[in-house]
Amino acid sequence: MSHRFELSDLRLFLHIVESGSITGGAERAHMALASASARIRNMEDALGTALLERGRRGVQTTDAGRALAHHARMMAQQMEQLRDELGQYAQGLKGHIRLLCNTSAMTEFLPEALARFLARHPHTDIELEEKLSYEVVQAVVDGVADVGIIADSTDSGPLQTYPFRQDHLVAVLSKKHPLARRKSLAFSELLGEDFVGLSGDSALQQHLSGHATRAGRRLQYRVRLRSFDGICRMVEHQVGVAVMPATAAQDCAAHMDIRAIPLTDGWSRRQLLICVRGLEGLPGHTRELILALQRHA
């Protein structure tokens, strides 16, 4: 093979695979769409085989594409290790960590922990993305993410796991709600109520919708907002009920006329876990992040 792939070509290809589209990959690589498309075509011409299957909803990797993505990830990981080892000599090189997590970790537990870590590690960047726990596991297994945070109810497969935080989900009701005096509630008792939830493709709302579907019901949202504080204000004014992490609910209950009521469902009481393919294969800055998260578990 006469063509030599540049590292930028491989990074672009990984961005496309991770985002599921050439457009998304081009944006992550800060590259024009036409230039990105041309680079991928040149790679396919050089190899004599297709790397991607194009469709209306994005792209899927072919067998050859999956093989290339696997080796490209290995090379990217080796480059991260090289950056780490040469960091004291090359001040311009920065470490990069891709961290996927569920809603509770994203909103309640990670901001403070990551702020402390990043303040101590000015040459490390973190790409943080919210996913459902099973999606996080698959991404870490495939090498698409370096580190994941999942609920212990999810099968972690071959991954190594470490404790992170306790995460309990509670019902949030106005103090004027007929059920507000209850000491605990089953999720099924709320399914006839109007709900207030998070906007967008929230992993928490998908999680709750899944449990509602298994109970043969569908969540009815009156309004969806971007923050737990906003949700609690809606609940306070009797717009609907909500289910959210206990830490967020208790913070709001301290200054609002709402009640946070424990759910009796087993799935509402969760241990969050850090998951990785293996500590030994990770760059030093990624191992340091995991240790920092564990210290505050």
Side-chain angles (χ1 to χ4, degrees), residues 6 8-9 12 31 34-44:
E6 301 287 342
S8 57
D9 293 334
L12 169 63
M31 188 180 296
S35 177
S37 297
R39 286 197 179 208
I40 296 301
R41 283 196 300 272
N42 290 339
M43 293 173 71
E44 290 177 323

Side-chain angles (χ1 to χ4, degrees), residues 24-126:
E27 289 175 354
R28 291 188 180 191
H30 306 291
M31 188 180 296
L33 176 59
S35 177
S37 297
R39 286 197 179 208
I40 296 301
R41 283 196 300 272
N42 290 339
M43 293 173 71
E44 290 177 323
D45 290 343
L47 289 168
T49 188
L51 296 171
L52 300 171
E53 294 177 354
R54 282 85 167 167
R56 289 184 177 180
R57 297 185 178 181
V59 296
Q60 297 288 332
T61 51
T62 63
D63 289 342
R66 282 188 287 274
L68 178 62
H70 171 72
H71 289 286
R73 289 185 188 110
M74 291 178 61
M75 292 181 65
Q77 192 173 78
Q78 290 171 346
M79 286 300 298
E80 289 292 330
Q81 290 175 314
L82 178 63
R83 287 188 180 96
D84 181 63
E85 292 174 9
L86 297 183
Q88 58 180 316
Y89 303 108
Q91 295 298 318
L93 293 176
K94 298 192 73 171
H96 180 270
I97 302 170
R98 188 158 192 253
L99 171 60
L100 303 188
C101 63
N102 66 6
T103 304
S104 294
M106 170 78 84
T107 58
E108 296 304 302
F109 304 119
L110 282 175
E112 184 178 352
L114 293 184
R116 288 194 297 262
F117 175 81
L118 290 170
R120 292 195 302 269
H121 298 80
H123 296 292
T124 299
D125 294 336
I126 295 177

Side-chain angles (χ1 to χ4, degrees), residues 4-284:
R4 296 182 185 177
F5 293 146
E6 301 287 342
L7 283 174
S8 57
D9 293 334
L10 296 178
R11 290 194 192 98
L12 169 63
F13 185 70
L14 285 179
H15 284 317
I16 291 171
V17 172
E18 291 167 2
S19 66
S21 71
I22 296 177
T23 301
E27 289 175 354
R28 291 188 180 191
H30 306 291
M31 188 180 296
L33 176 59
S35 177
S37 297
R39 286 197 179 208
I40 296 301
R41 283 196 300 272
N42 290 339
M43 293 173 71
E44 290 177 323
D45 290 343
L47 289 168
T49 188
L51 296 171
L52 300 171
E53 294 177 354
R54 282 85 167 167
R56 289 184 177 180
R57 297 185 178 181
V59 296
Q60 297 288 332
T61 51
T62 63
D63 289 342
R66 282 188 287 274
L68 178 62
H70 171 72
H71 289 286
R73 289 185 188 110
M74 291 178 61
M75 292 181 65
Q77 192 173 78
Q78 290 171 346
M79 286 300 298
E80 289 292 330
Q81 290 175 314
L82 178 63
R83 287 188 180 96
D84 181 63
E85 292 174 9
L86 297 183
Q88 58 180 316
Y89 303 108
Q91 295 298 318
L93 293 176
K94 298 192 73 171
H96 180 270
I97 302 170
R98 188 158 192 253
L99 171 60
L100 303 188
C101 63
N102 66 6
T103 304
S104 294
M106 170 78 84
T107 58
E108 296 304 302
F109 304 119
L110 282 175
E112 184 178 352
L114 293 184
R116 288 194 297 262
F117 175 81
L118 290 170
R120 292 195 302 269
H121 298 80
H123 296 292
T124 299
D125 294 336
I126 295 177
E127 179 183 353
L128 184 62
E129 188 173 348
E130 179 186 343
K131 294 283 187 182
L132 288 168
S133 288
Y134 78 87
E135 295 175 321
V136 174
V137 169
Q138 192 59 54
V140 177
V141 168
D142 291 344
V144 176
D146 303 302
V147 184
I149 296 179
I150 61 172
D152 61 353
S153 56
T154 301
D155 182 5
S156 59
L159 301 178
Q160 295 177 8
T161 61
Y162 307 91
F164 178 53
R165 296 285 194 284
Q166 291 286 333
D167 173 41
H168 295 169
L169 298 176
V170 298
V172 182
L173 286 74
S174 163
K175 287 184 177 179
K176 298 177 182 179
H177 194 284
L179 297 174
R181 293 183 180 274
R182 294 277 297 276
K183 292 184 178 180
S184 63
L185 288 167
F187 182 60
S188 60
E189 295 180 84
L190 302 174
L191 294 180
E193 303 279 344
D194 290 326
F195 268 74
V196 182
L198 289 170
S199 60
D201 195 22
S202 160
L204 174 59
Q205 302 311 141
Q206 291 183 56
H207 180 64
L208 296 177
S209 294
H211 284 290
T213 299
R214 282 187 280 278
R217 303 293 293 274
R218 182 180 178 185
L219 296 183
Q220 299 293 330
Y221 289 102
R222 289 201 67 196
V223 63
R224 299 175 73 160
L225 301 100
R226 295 182 64 86
S227 72
F228 289 128
D229 183 80
I231 290 173
C232 288
R233 293 190 182 281
M234 288 288 179
V235 171
E236 183 181 29
H237 288 87
Q238 303 181 71
V239 173
V241 302
V243 172
M244 65 175 64
T247 51
Q250 289 160 0
D251 287 344
C252 292
H255 59 275
M256 297 184 197
D257 287 332
I258 59 173
R259 282 205 64 213
I261 303 175
L263 292 172
T264 58
D265 305 81
W267 53 261
S268 69
R269 295 178 293 278
R270 309 183 295 180
Q271 167 73 51
L272 297 184
L273 302 173
I274 303 165
C275 62
V276 293
R277 291 184 299 280
L279 284 177
E280 62 282 351
L282 295 174

